[in-house]
Amino acid sequence: MAIMDTSTGPDVSTAAVAVAVAAVMVSTLLWVALVQLVWRPYAAARAFGRQGIRGPAYRFLAGNIGEANAMRAAATALDRRSHDIIPRVLPHYHAWMSRYGKVFVSWTGPIPALCVGDYAMAKEILADRTGAYGKPDPGAAILALFGNGLVFLDGDDWARHRRVVHPAFAMDKLKTMTGTMAACAREMIRAWEARAAANNPSGEIEIEVGNQFQELTADVISHTAFGSSYLQGKEVFEAQRELQAIAMAALYSIRIPGIQYIPTKSNVRRRRLEKKVRGTLMAMIHERQAAVAKEGKGYGNDLLGLMLEANVAMCGGGNGARRMTMDEIVDECKTFFFAGHDTTSHLLTWAMFLLGTHLDWQDRVREEVLRECGGEALPDGDVLGKLKLVTMVLYETLRLYSPVSMLVRMVTADANLSGIHVPKGTLAMIPVAILHRDVDAWGDDAGEFNPLRFRGGVNKAAAHAGALLAFSLGHRSCIGQDFALLEAKAMLAMILRRFAFEVSPEYVHAPLDFLTMQPQCGLPMVLKLLD
Ligand code: HEM
Ligand SMILES: *[C@@H]1O[C@H](CO)[C@@H](O)[C@H](O)[C@H]1NC(C)=O
């Protein structure tokens, strides 16, 4: 009968089609969910189990994220003489490693995460150039902070960007930047001196130095990499700080596909901040372009100048090289703003903490600083090269309080890792902070502050070369490591020659991995002006 009823026919069939389509969609989604959330984790756990690699059980959808968060939340503060920070900073890894060994598998949501607590395996991953261990998809929140720049690119895009950026980090270029670094530090130190002088007769002041170093290193990167004004730098800096908190919250929660498009409060805020950072960076770029057009000079030797220059050179060059788009330049600027200051500030903070709790070492390095660069002159690159003890202290700081505590890779094709078959789609987690305390590599005093272990250089400090992973190793290692060390040396030298300092009694020793490792409640220090 329905066949006869031509008036309702089309409606019925449209509805039927819609129902059928919906049914197919729902069952496809269910199928995909079943495969992703049940079958894959089950198969991966079995594949690892057969090879003797165990770990905490997979829980539907959330994996071990809940347990990890609970353990992190329960972590308490440490004695300030203790550098045994793993039970606090990576409590879940601490617990699982003692139960399942140096190599185990846990679950980041439905994704298997292989902990590679073994130097030989870690080095094999970092040395790989086949692309089998790529950068993981960082997600919208982390990308908003870092930009899709060098840190997260892979393959040809990475090679193209690295080629453009590389010349800015040649040692001769860096040495010309030390003047700018030292000038930024002089501003901060003058403000401290004024406060100390006003505080007669003791000349003592208490300062939370963590924040001071964040601002200082942001100021340095604004000036050296972008030649930009303090205000522009400050705008990016403040927006990125808030983006860091948003990124951190996202990192510790279950990642549901598409969730970044839902207008939640934090997504809306993230978008607004992204727009603001982009606006400021575009203004900076346009200023530079306008100056070039007006004065007919080159783009300049700083990072921004080199990127713009390379962009113009490749434009219509016909050499097959693709130029960087404006979006790529903006992303790379974000990367350098964040990667270029946050880590370095924490290195300085922890170095001050260690020197403020090991006063014998503070005296030793001050003696060296006064010998090599006493007086008022700003230290230059050559002088900084002579500060051997300061360098050892910085390496030892990077070992015990590595600002980056974990290196992460995504296994992009089934891999053979030192004989272990690792299925595609596994995360490889290299726990830098744990490896830095490995007694087989560093000796029985691995838990102690002993800068002298570095007296033969960075590669002679452990049983094998390449044990210090603070800047990673190989072709994807930190492009800014010389920059960071030069900056940290200049800052420390300038502080040491003007102030004696101790960690304040108020300080709480609570290192926290907030994307980068930092003291949870800052680092209050008591500084005394030297005469
Ligand atoms: C103490 C200071 C610093 C530490 C501890 C540090 C640490 C690291 C680490 C561990 C990586 C490798 C990340 C990975 O493979 O997943 C890295 C990469 C990188 N860092 Fe640094 N960094 C520091 C300072 C800087 C500075 C000052 C800059 C820029 C001015 C910078 C720019 C970069 C860039 C662009 C990459 C990506 C390199 C690539 O993949 O080609 N870093 N850094
Ligand atoms: C995996 O690599 C090891 C050396 O690391 C080698 O001895 C072994 O034969 C390889 N296994 C396979 C299946 O390729």
Side-chain angles (χ1 to χ4, degrees):
M1 289 179 300
I3 301 167
M4 301 285 172
D5 192 348
T6 50
S7 65
T8 59
D11 288 338
V12 168
S13 64
T14 309
V17 168
V19 168
V21 167
V24 169
M25 272 171 63
V26 167
S27 56
T28 308
L29 272 177
L30 276 176
W31 177 246
V32 170
L34 197 70
V35 169
Q36 301 279 352
L37 303 180
V38 180
W39 169 248
R40 288 248 177 90
Y42 168 77
R46 243 177 62 130
F48 281 119
R50 272 199 301 267
Q51 307 178 77
I53 295 170
R54 300 173 308 128
Y58 170 64
R59 281 181 222 279
F60 180 73
L61 190 62
N64 308 120
I65 290 177
E67 289 143 86
N69 285 347
M71 283 190 246
R72 257 193 296 260
T76 51
L78 304 170
D79 184 301
R80 67 172 66 185
R81 278 161 307 189
S82 168
H83 308 306
D84 186 17
I85 65 172
I86 304 304
R88 183 187 150 80
V89 176
L90 297 169
H92 47 318
Y93 271 58
H94 182 70
W96 294 332
M97 205 177 256
S98 61
R99 207 168 311 150
Y100 306 111
K102 286 183 172 184
V103 178
F104 64 84
V105 64
S106 68
W107 302 90
T108 303
I111 301 172
L114 183 71
C115 167
V116 184
D118 174 273
Y119 265 115
M121 287 167 74
K123 287 182 184 178
E124 192 178 327
I125 292 172
L126 296 175
D128 174 80
R129 295 203 73 143
T130 66
Y133 303 98
K135 291 287 178 127
D137 168 12
I142 301 243
L143 276 185
L145 174 62
F146 271 87
N148 194 17
L150 266 181
V151 174
F152 292 112
L153 292 172
D154 268 322
D156 292 344
D157 282 334
W158 169 77
R160 185 164 53 91
H161 284 226
R162 183 110 181 178
R163 233 181 354 257
V164 169
V165 165
H166 183 75
F169 289 90
M171 213 11 137
D172 57 328
K173 289 253 169 55
L174 295 183
K175 281 192 171 168
T176 66
M177 292 179 193
T178 21
T180 314
M181 294 173 178
C184 293
R186 187 174 50 194
E187 293 302 305
M188 178 190 79
I189 288 171
R190 280 194 178 149
W192 291 4
E193 283 172 353
R195 281 182 56 186
N199 198 14
N200 275 324
S202 72
E204 271 186 14
I205 41 168
E206 180 160 329
I207 293 181
E208 196 286 286
V209 297
N211 241 328
Q212 298 271 309
F213 291 150
Q214 281 268 308
E215 291 190 12
L216 174 61
T217 55
D219 197 25
V220 166
I221 199 76
S222 316
H223 280 97
T224 51
F226 303 102
S228 82
S229 72
Y230 177 71
L231 277 177
Q232 283 172 326
K234 189 109 177 153
E235 258 173 47
V236 176
F237 169 67
E238 272 161 12
Q240 282 193 332
R241 246 189 186 192
E242 207 179 318
L243 283 167
Q244 187 171 3
I246 293 174
M248 204 56 213
L251 201 66
Y252 286 159
S253 43
I254 300 163
R255 201 190 287 179
I256 297 164
I259 198 155
Q260 70 262 36
Y261 302 112
I262 298 170
T264 58
K265 200 169 153 207
S266 100
N267 282 344
V268 169
R269 186 71 193 146
R270 191 193 77 226
R271 290 262 175 71
R272 194 167 299 153
L273 290 166
E274 270 187 280
K275 220 169 135 189
K276 186 167 166 207
V277 170
R278 190 187 155 80
T280 309
L281 294 174
M282 289 297 278
M284 234 166 63
I285 292 169
H286 288 145
E287 256 169 48
R288 184 71 62 98
Q289 286 171 328
V292 169
K294 198 165 135 220
E295 290 153 34
K297 285 193 292 200
Y299 282 93
N301 260 340
D302 62 2
L303 195 68
L304 181 62
L306 286 165
M307 282 198 288
L308 293 172
E309 188 87 58
N311 192 30
V312 170
M314 283 181 188
C315 213
N319 54 1
R322 199 160 66 74
R323 68 193 181 107
M324 283 169 93
T325 63
M326 199 45 87
D327 280 328
E328 285 178 315
I329 291 180
V330 167
D331 273 351
E332 216 49 85
C333 289
K334 284 190 204 170
T335 296
F336 279 92
F337 245 112
F338 185 72
H341 92 267
D342 185 68
T343 42
T344 314
S345 84
H346 302 316
L347 167 60
L348 271 168
T349 301
W350 291 119
M352 288 291 281
F353 163 74
L354 288 165
L355 290 176
T357 45
H358 298 81
L359 301 181
D360 50 334
W361 268 96
Q362 188 182 140
D363 291 341
R364 279 175 90 161
V365 291
R366 179 173 297 106
E367 206 174 288
E368 178 184 70
V369 166
L370 291 175
R371 188 173 66 238
E372 302 297 346
C373 56
E376 286 291 319
L378 295 183
D380 63 28
D382 294 327
V383 159
L384 294 176
K386 294 184 189 150
L387 301 179
K388 303 294 177 215
L389 290 173
V390 175
T391 306
M392 289 182 223
V393 166
L394 287 172
Y395 281 139
E396 185 68 338
T397 307
L398 286 168
R399 185 181 72 85
L400 288 171
Y401 295 89
S402 181
V404 176
S405 63
M406 188 84 83
L407 293 168
V408 187
R409 295 293 184 272
M410 173 52 85
V411 179
T412 59
D414 286 3
N416 175 2
L417 177 59
S418 305
I420 296 173
H421 170 79
V422 184
K424 174 183 167 180
T426 301
L427 286 168
M429 316 290 287
I430 301 175
V432 172
I434 294 176
L435 290 171
H436 280 179
R437 288 164 169 79
D438 184 318
V439 286
D440 293 339
W442 297 97
D444 291 335
D445 69 347
E448 278 149 48
F449 175 70
N450 174 18
L452 283 179
R453 74 177 83 244
F454 286 101
R455 71 185 148 235
V458 66
N459 281 321
K460 300 251 168 64
H464 46 81
L468 189 73
L469 296 176
F471 294 115
S472 186
L473 294 179
H475 63 298
R476 294 306 301 259
S477 66
C478 179
I479 201 172
Q481 52 188 298
D482 293 336
F483 181 104
L485 287 173
L486 214 51
E487 177 175 356
K489 270 187 244 182
M491 309 290 155
L492 272 188
M494 290 173 71
I495 294 170
L496 280 160
R497 69 187 189 183
R498 294 302 291 139
F499 292 95
F501 47 86
E502 278 183 50
V503 172
S504 158
E506 311 287 315
Y507 171 68
V508 181
H509 193 30
L512 174 75
D513 193 4
F514 191 69
L515 224 53
T516 43
M517 188 136 66
Q518 48 205 278
Q520 183 166 5
C521 313
L523 175 60
M525 298 205 71
V526 178
L527 296 100
K528 188 170 168 45
L529 193 57
L530 296 171
D531 34 44

